């Protein structure tokens, strides 16, 4: 039986929510990952030192062991330097959302005026706090990410020492940016390494595959696969696992978000193995992120094996991607 061992897997973009949902989903990630960058788009967003500290405590209370590190983020606003100095120790990054572009992002940035943002972004650069960005405009849905490239360019050239992470990239346009600007990095989800728009709406509409940014064209998928499979040193795995209750997905007005946390490592093995690139998975799912973010996660060794694994129909009322379908890799042991 073929097996593959991963050390300290990291999920560099994760939604854990709060309260009952947090208690439901946090253990699923803590089971197989050493740590995760936790998104701040709660209602209201995580935007003060107290918010960060209290949310981290709630996360730790929801996970059954100590071998999981939630890397906390703050919701981007135009903060001053004194405030950023006061929170720097408690956060790993700051997450910027354009206003209203996705779930719980209403309080995000409504105009990318570099002068208005300069104090905050320069302070982040000085304090070495990475900026994670949801890079979509409010244009035509298939063009939103590509249209955002000029904003990435503006940010990258205005703040050349600021680490900027293009979150959950879905296009060849974003892939092409990686080699153009030293300070641009990217996370890639597992669903965007499998799906195109055809899978979402080409046949019967699939609400559990609907997310922001929407899956794109075959040539975009190929570009994403090319950098992920070679574990390009500037790309990291970030699931963007975004749980919504079943009724919010299977409804008139489907919430955006694909729930992959409990099947992410199995799917990553499946995809990397399919292309004969399993040896590069360690870099993609941990080592690149450790280097880019300068983090040293707790030891965890996850062994997967190639055998059928039927994805559960739901996890506490949240339907995962590929519910009821059979994957070809399963988690065998975790030490
Ligand atoms: C995310 C969510 O539900 O919080 N949804 C999504 O479609 N990915 C927000 C986000 O990351 O855009
Ligand atoms: Zn997200």
């Amino acid at each position: 039986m073929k097996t593959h061992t991963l050390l300290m897997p990291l999920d560099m973009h994760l939604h854990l929510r709060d309260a009952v949902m947090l208690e439901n989903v946090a253990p699923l990630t803590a089971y197989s990952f050493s740590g995760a960058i936790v998104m701040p788009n709660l209602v209201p967003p995580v935007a003060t030192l107290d918010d960060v500290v209290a949310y981290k405590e709630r996360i730790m209370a929801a996970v059954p062991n100590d071998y999981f590190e939630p890397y906390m983020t703050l919701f981007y606003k135009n903060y001053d330097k004194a405030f950023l100095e006061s929170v720097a120790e408690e956060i790993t990054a700051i997450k910027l959302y354009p206003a209203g572009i996705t779930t719980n992002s209403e309080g995000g940035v409504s105009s990318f005026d570099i002068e208005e943002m300069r104090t905050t972004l320069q302070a982040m650069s000085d304090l070495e706090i990475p900026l994670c960005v949801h890079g979509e405009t409010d244009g035509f849905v298939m063009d939103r990410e590509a249209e955002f490239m000029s904003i990435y360019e503006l940010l990258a050239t205005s703040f050349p020492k600021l680490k900027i992470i293009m979150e959950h990239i879905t296009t060849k346009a974003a892939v092409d940016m990686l080699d153009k600007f030293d300070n641009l990095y990217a996370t890639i989800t597992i669903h965007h390494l499998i799906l195109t728009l055809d899978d979402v709406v080409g046949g019967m509409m699939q609400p559990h595959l609907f997310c922001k940014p929407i899956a794109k064209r075959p040539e975009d998928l190929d570009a994403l696969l090319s950098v992920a499979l070679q574990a390009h040193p500037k790309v990291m795995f970030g699931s963007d696992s975004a749980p919504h209750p079943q009724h919010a997905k299977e409804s008139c007005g489907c919430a955006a978000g694909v729930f992959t946390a409990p099947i992410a490592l199995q799917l990553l093995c499946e995809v990397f193995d399919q292309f004969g690139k399993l040896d590069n998975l360690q870099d993609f799912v941990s080592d690149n992120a450790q280097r880019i973010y300068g983090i040293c996660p707790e030891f965890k060794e996850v062994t997967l094996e190639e055998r059928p694994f039927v994805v559960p129909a739901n996890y506490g009322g949240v339907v995962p991607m590929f519910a009821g379908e059979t994957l070809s890799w399963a988690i065998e042991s975790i030490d």
Side-chain angles (χ1 to χ4, degrees), residues 92-126:
T92 303
I94 294 181
K95 174 68 187 289
L96 186 156
Y97 292 92
I101 207 66
T102 188
T103 309
N104 303 340
S105 63
E106 289 68 25
V109 170
S110 44
S111 90
F112 284 85
D113 180 332
I114 287 293
E115 290 320 311
E116 271 176 33
M117 304 172 80
R118 184 172 296 282
T119 304
T120 310
L121 294 176
Q122 190 56 52
M124 288 174 62
S125 175
D126 296 345

Side-chain angles (χ1 to χ4, degrees), residues 65-133:
N65 62 50
D66 292 330
Y67 304 111
F68 175 73
E69 176 77 19
Y71 297 104
M72 305 306 292
T73 63
L74 201 64
F75 191 94
Y76 182 94
K77 293 182 184 176
N78 288 330
Y79 299 111
D80 63 28
K81 188 164 189 181
F83 170 74
L84 291 175
E85 279 167 349
S86 74
V87 289
E89 289 290 289
E90 296 294 335
I91 60 171
T92 303
I94 294 181
K95 174 68 187 289
L96 186 156
Y97 292 92
I101 207 66
T102 188
T103 309
N104 303 340
S105 63
E106 289 68 25
V109 170
S110 44
S111 90
F112 284 85
D113 180 332
I114 287 293
E115 290 320 311
E116 271 176 33
M117 304 172 80
R118 184 172 296 282
T119 304
T120 310
L121 294 176
Q122 190 56 52
M124 288 174 62
S125 175
D126 296 345
L127 296 167
E128 299 183 4
I129 302 171
L131 175 72
C132 300
V133 182

Side-chain angles (χ1 to χ4, degrees), residues 13-15 39 41 95 97 102 134 167-168 212 239-242:
H13 182 131
L14 177 67
H15 297 272
M39 290 296 131
N41 62 330
K95 174 68 187 289
Y97 292 92
T102 188
H134 184 118
E167 293 295 330
H168 45 50
K212 302 290 179 70
S239 70
D240 195 15
S241 177

Side-chain angles (χ1 to χ4, degrees), residues 246-267:
Q246 185 165 3
H247 65 79
K249 295 291 290 175
E250 299 175 6
S251 79
C252 177
C254 166
V258 177
F259 180 56
T260 53
I263 58 165
L265 293 180
Q266 299 88 322
L267 281 175

Side-chain angles (χ1 to χ4, degrees), residues 189-195 208-209 257-264 267 311-313 315 318-325 327:
T189 74
I190 182 59
H191 49 285
H192 291 123
L193 290 176
I194 297 175
L195 307 173
H208 299 293
L209 304 182
V258 177
F259 180 56
T260 53
I263 58 165
L267 281 175
V311 178
Y315 290 85
V318 182
V319 179
M321 179 163 81
F322 296 155
E325 294 182 38
L327 310 186

Side-chain angles (χ1 to χ4, degrees), residues 17-19 22 38-60 70-77 79 83 86-87 90-91 93:
R17 314 300 192 202
D18 213 341
L22 169 66
V38 180
M39 290 296 131
N41 62 330
L42 304 183
V43 186
V46 179
T48 67
L49 177 57
D50 285 352
D51 288 348
V52 172
V53 172
Y55 188 32
K56 185 169 183 177
E57 275 171 15
R58 296 198 297 281
I59 294 167
M60 294 314 288
Y71 297 104
M72 305 306 292
T73 63
L74 201 64
F75 191 94
Y76 182 94
K77 293 182 184 176
Y79 299 111
F83 170 74
S86 74
V87 289
E90 296 294 335
I91 60 171

